[in-house]
Amino acid sequence: MHWSESFYTRQAEIPGTYTTAIHPFTHALAARVTAHLGGPRRLLELGSGGGQFAVAAALQGHDVTALERVPSLVEHSHSLARAHGVRPAVQQADFYTVQLLEAHYDAVCYWDGFGVGTDDDQRRLLRRVAGWLAPAGQMYLDVMTPWYWAKAAGNAPQISGFTRDYGFDADGCRMLDTYTPDDRGEPFTQSLRCYSPADLRLLLQGTGLTLTELWPGGSYDVQAGVWTPEMPLERAMTYTAVLHLE
Ligand SMILES: C[S@@+](CC[C@H](N)C(=O)[O-])C[C@H]1O[C@@H](n2cnc3c(N)ncnc32)[C@H](O)[C@@H]1O
């Protein structure tokens, strides 16, 4: 089993991690995507977690398909959708292998999660996305920045029941996020490849996608416990890369 499957399964068991209400930031993100697309469209979300964005997008009128591998998160997405009276099609599926019968999406979104694999894995996924997009479609891709995560190493927000540690693999340019259970259970770690926009442009070569726009993201000050939703790119934790077909 790939580490990402066991990590997200275990992380999903931590109360409140993925089972929150829809945060106003998520509604704002859905509104931003809607405005950028010029209205509601056919939208595919990858790695949709607890379904908060899928539901927020469905509330904006999008025809949403969402792919999530962890069954309990798919179930949570269905109950969240029911509670809001919308019906996004949330499927339990692996985005590396799923066969989508009617591709041609106007938008493919992947929030907070890109970089689980090797560079080759990421390219494989991006080539799949190019095949799922309608000719004028676009991808909205959250990418971790190397500078934020290199600096964050050693300072992780704490979670009840665990010691959490951020680290940084400087050679592989990957953020590391380790949970060690207080009951001395086995630690579990996520490791996400970080890309500057220059690195992302190199990664995109041969995938059929090209970077056309970039939205700097926010930054979390772990020591102060303060989240700032918009930062200059050189201080941001992530950015959203807007990708089009070449
Ligand atoms: C960090 S979480 C982010 C969840 C959600 N996008 C959000 O912003 O709250 C990454 C999600 O991607 C899912 N995921 C990772 N690899 C996947 C794969 N190969 N196929 C489908 N889902 C995957 C994980 O199960 C997890 O729910």
Side-chain angles (χ1 to χ4, degrees):
M1 185 192 281
H2 189 258
W3 68 259
S4 64
E5 194 166 353
S6 50
F7 177 88
Y8 293 118
T9 300
R10 293 207 61 186
Q11 200 188 34
E13 289 164 359
I14 302 172
T17 304
Y18 289 111
T19 51
T20 53
I22 305 173
H23 195 280
F25 290 141
T26 306
H27 285 298
L29 180 62
R32 184 173 192 178
V33 168
T34 307
H36 194 258
L37 287 166
R41 298 282 188 275
R42 290 197 71 209
L43 189 151
L44 173 69
E45 187 186 1
L46 309 180
S48 52
Q52 287 82 1
F53 178 82
V55 172
L59 285 167
Q60 302 252 333
H62 294 280
D63 175 0
V64 179
T65 300
L67 307 177
E68 170 54 52
R69 195 171 46 187
V70 175
S72 65
L73 295 180
V74 174
E75 274 170 38
H76 180 265
S77 307
H78 289 149
S79 58
L80 190 68
R82 271 194 304 277
H84 285 273
V86 288
R87 300 187 64 167
V90 184
Q91 300 178 24
Q92 197 227 318
D94 180 335
F95 52 57
Y96 286 119
T97 54
V98 68
Q99 294 302 324
L100 293 170
L101 297 179
E102 291 182 54
H104 302 297
Y105 292 93
D106 302 302
V108 177
C109 303
Y110 187 3
W111 311 116
D112 184 21
F114 184 64
V116 285
T118 62
D119 286 350
D120 279 348
D121 293 331
Q122 264 85 252
R123 278 195 201 94
R124 186 155 56 91
L125 178 62
L126 292 165
R127 277 194 292 270
R128 300 202 87 201
V129 170
W132 292 331
L133 284 172
Q138 42 207 325
M139 179 175 202
Y140 300 89
L141 178 66
D142 262 355
V143 182
M144 306 284 159
T145 67
W147 46 87
Y148 175 89
W149 291 102
K151 215 170 153 198
N155 276 318
Q158 291 309 308
I159 291 201
S160 167
F162 296 88
T163 301
R164 193 175 181 191
D165 292 306
Y166 283 156
F168 191 72
D169 164 7
D171 184 77
C173 199
R174 302 183 75 94
M175 68 79 84
L176 305 172
D177 177 16
T178 301
Y179 291 69
T180 306
D182 291 346
D183 65 6
R184 296 170 187 258
E186 277 295 299
F188 49 104
T189 300
Q190 70 173 326
S191 151
L192 299 179
R193 175 76 157 95
C194 304
Y195 297 95
S196 69
D199 292 338
L200 183 68
R201 286 187 190 94
L202 292 175
L203 185 80
L204 289 171
Q205 287 176 6
T207 64
L209 295 171
T210 186
L211 177 64
T212 51
E213 219 177 299
L214 198 153
W215 304 344
S219 173
Y220 184 63
D221 181 334
V222 176
Q223 271 158 352
V226 175
W227 167 251
T228 308
E230 282 186 37
M231 291 295 270
L233 178 61
E234 66 275 14
R235 292 175 61 199
M237 188 173 183
T238 60
Y239 58 91
T240 302
V242 182
L243 311 177
H244 279 83
L245 292 171
E246 279 177 326

